[in-house]
Amino acid sequence: MFKRLLALFAAGFVVACAHVPGPDAVGQDGAATWQVAGRFAAGQMPLDGGVESEPVAGRFAWQHSAAQDVLWLIGPLGNTLAKVEITPVGVRWQDATGKRGEATNLGALGASLAGIALPDVPADCWLYAHWRNQDINGRDTSARVLGASAHGWKFTYRYGAPAPEGWPLAVEMAGPDGLWMRLALTEWNGISDPADQPAP
């Protein structure tokens, strides 16, 4: 179950890494770039009333540029669990055991690794909460998206310091078949949450 959930999280996370303009930074070549980091947890609630398996949890680092996205999944002890590279022509991944794989597209990766349907939503849409009006379920008094739905998944957002303007502090996702994922962002384009820093 651990490997399936790890694959699920990796596939689900990167399925949303479609090559779209990033929200903030602009690199030297004029292309939009951004990077975020934080903590993740992913799991699956049993639909038959059974006991939930142990969720997968750890940290992540994600770098976006016009040429590619690179996602690292890091275990609770700081070890790299997997690295996934996404380019316009395909997806490559490698896990901690050295096992490698490729897929022609992100949908195929999700199906082959996890065997389940995952949300095919661009990164700016779900991570940065840039949704079409018809997908939005609610906004706060500052007009920030609090909830959205797409492709059978529901997304919920929390905002506040120290996240920069427009970036969320946390994203929660609930999908079909009891699937769920949670991200707590702790770094946005080099701005870090002081509470997440190790003690001196």
Side-chain angles (χ1 to χ4, degrees), residues 134-145:
Q134 60 263 39
D135 296 329
I136 296 172
N137 299 331
R139 294 181 183 270
D140 64 12
T141 56
S142 299
R144 295 176 299 197
V145 175

Side-chain angles (χ1 to χ4, degrees), residues 4 8 11-12 15 107 110-111 114-120 151-153 175-177 179 181:
R4 183 169 184 256
L8 158 68
V15 160
I116 45 181
L118 296 160
D120 187 10
H151 304 280
W153 286 74
D177 302 320
L179 300 171
M181 291 185 254

Side-chain angles (χ1 to χ4, degrees), residues 116-129:
I116 45 181
L118 296 160
D120 187 10
V121 181
D124 279 5
C125 225
W126 73 268
L127 181 61
Y128 199 55

Side-chain angles (χ1 to χ4, degrees), residues 40-147:
F40 74 84
Q44 185 172 21
M45 294 292 294
L47 298 180
D48 59 3
V51 178
E52 180 181 8
S53 299
E54 186 75 20
V56 175
R59 300 186 71 83
F60 70 90
W62 179 358
Q63 294 180 340
H64 170 85
S65 71
Q68 69 174 355
D69 284 281
V70 181
L71 172 68
W72 290 268
L73 299 177
I74 303 158
L77 301 178
N79 53 315
T80 299
L81 300 175
K83 177 182 178 183
V84 184
E85 298 174 292
I86 308 100
T87 69
V89 296
V91 182
R92 293 188 306 270
W93 61 271
Q94 179 176 345
D95 68 15
T97 67
K99 184 177 180 181
R100 299 169 183 262
E102 295 187 9
T104 55
N105 58 60
L106 295 167
L109 177 69
S112 66
L113 287 182
I116 45 181
L118 296 160
D120 187 10
V121 181
D124 279 5
C125 225
W126 73 268
L127 181 61
Y128 199 55
H130 280 185
W131 292 94
R132 300 176 307 172
N133 285 335
Q134 60 263 39
D135 296 329
I136 296 172
N137 299 331
R139 294 181 183 270
D140 64 12
T141 56
S142 299
R144 295 176 299 197
V145 175
L146 292 176

Side-chain angles (χ1 to χ4, degrees), residues 176-190:
D177 302 320
L179 300 171
W180 60 267
M181 291 185 254
R182 298 185 187 117
L183 304 181
L185 301 180
T186 58
E187 183 178 330
W188 310 260
N189 289 328

